[in-house]
Amino acid sequence: MKTKALKAAFPYTIPIFAGFWFLALAYGILMNVNGFSFIYPMLMSLLIYGGSLEFIVVTMLMSPFAPLSALAVTLLVQSRHLFYGIAMLDRFRGMGWKKFYLIFGMCDETFSINYSADIPEGVDRGWFMFFVTLLNQLYWVSGATIGGLIGSFLKFNTKGLDFVMTAMFVTIFMNQWMKEKKKYTGLIGIGATAACLVLFGAKSFMVPAMVTILILLTIFRKPIEQSYQEAEIQ
């Protein structure tokens, strides 16, 4: 059962591996350049496991001690995970002990896969999600650790590496868009995000956009579900 789930999960994580390793290596190198041992990126990637937040933590560690400011930044940067958790409530039911790790390890990319993947018939859903989560974290932890170890030996400009994640999200979205016969959820996401971007600006649109998307999906949940069921029958 476990081996079958691992084999089914691994192909879904290959694009994540490419993106995670580039960014994690850059993160580990950045920590090394700022005078931190590889232990720091290794433990932070293992225990914090929040890519964008970990990059910010580098600056925090170099700044005067300000716990309240650190708390506020952490909540702001990672607030999107609240909405991920709400979306996965039904999917995590009946997972037993695996649920606790699935909650801890639910990063953006893992959420995208576990929420939208077509799990092959005969593969246990809980173990599939567990291995997707585990593999993605292993990619990040190993990349950050290696980056911290070899950082002092490599000298290159890491500017632009963060675009790998953007490209990966676009690929995941397009794959989901092309797979769905009805585009209602995608159109709601695009429309709400565009509207919030215009209203709140590039620096503050993310949280309002996610709240708007959540509200709209809640309001139109029944007609959307009905349309998807009708599409499956056809």
Side-chain angles (χ1 to χ4, degrees):
M1 180 189 298
K2 296 179 184 178
T3 303
K4 192 173 183 179
L6 176 60
K7 289 180 178 179
F10 177 67
Y12 283 92
T13 67
I14 293 175
I16 312 301
F17 168 75
F20 267 22
W21 251 55
F22 272 109
L23 284 178
L25 283 169
Y27 165 63
I29 292 170
L30 180 64
M31 289 291 288
N32 182 277
V33 169
N34 282 277
F36 294 98
S37 163
F38 77 94
I39 297 294
Y40 283 84
M42 182 180 71
L43 290 180
M44 286 201 292
S45 60
L46 185 65
L47 300 175
I48 298 176
Y49 190 40
S52 53
L53 179 61
E54 288 176 50
F55 276 93
I56 296 173
V57 168
V58 180
T59 304
M60 290 181 180
L61 291 174
M62 302 294 291
S63 305
F65 182 61
L68 293 180
S69 175
L71 176 62
V73 171
T74 300
L75 291 175
L76 179 63
V77 172
Q78 300 298 100
S79 60
R80 65 191 184 280
H81 288 249
L82 294 171
F83 302 97
Y84 296 166
I86 293 172
M88 296 299 288
L89 283 175
D90 291 335
R91 286 173 167 78
F92 284 171
R93 283 201 180 118
M95 296 292 183
W97 63 268
K98 292 188 288 294
K99 177 173 68 175
F100 299 102
Y101 178 64
L102 292 173
I103 293 171
F104 166 76
M106 189 170 56
C107 64
D108 302 335
E109 297 76 15
T110 298
F111 167 77
S112 298
I113 295 174
N114 283 341
Y115 187 82
S116 62
D118 290 326
I119 301 176
E121 187 177 350
V123 174
D124 183 82
R125 183 168 56 93
W127 282 112
F128 176 89
M129 291 185 177
F130 175 84
F131 283 121
V132 167
T133 306
L134 179 63
L135 287 170
N136 286 342
Q137 186 174 16
L138 287 175
Y139 301 151
W140 183 259
V141 173
S142 60
T145 303
I146 293 173
L149 285 169
I150 67 174
S152 58
F153 303 102
L154 297 177
K155 304 295 181 182
F156 65 94
N157 188 356
T158 60
K159 185 178 180 180
L161 280 178
D162 54 347
F163 184 74
V164 173
M165 300 299 281
T166 303
M168 183 170 60
F169 275 123
V170 171
T171 301
I172 292 173
F173 172 78
M174 290 305 300
N175 180 61
Q176 184 67 14
W177 175 272
M178 295 174 67
K179 184 173 61 176
E180 290 186 348
K181 295 181 180 179
K182 302 290 185 178
K183 314 295 185 183
Y184 299 128
T185 54
L187 290 172
I188 287 174
I190 294 172
T193 302
C196 290
L197 179 61
V198 173
L199 291 173
F200 299 99
K203 294 183 178 180
S204 307
F205 79 98
M206 185 174 293
V207 174
M210 288 189 292
V211 172
T212 304
I213 292 170
L214 180 62
I215 292 173
L216 291 175
L217 289 177
T218 302
I219 294 174
F220 296 106
R221 176 179 177 180
K222 289 185 178 180
I224 289 175
E225 287 181 346
Q226 184 176 355
S227 67
Y228 282 157
Q229 291 173 358
E230 292 174 354
E232 289 179 1
I233 293 174
Q234 295 175 357

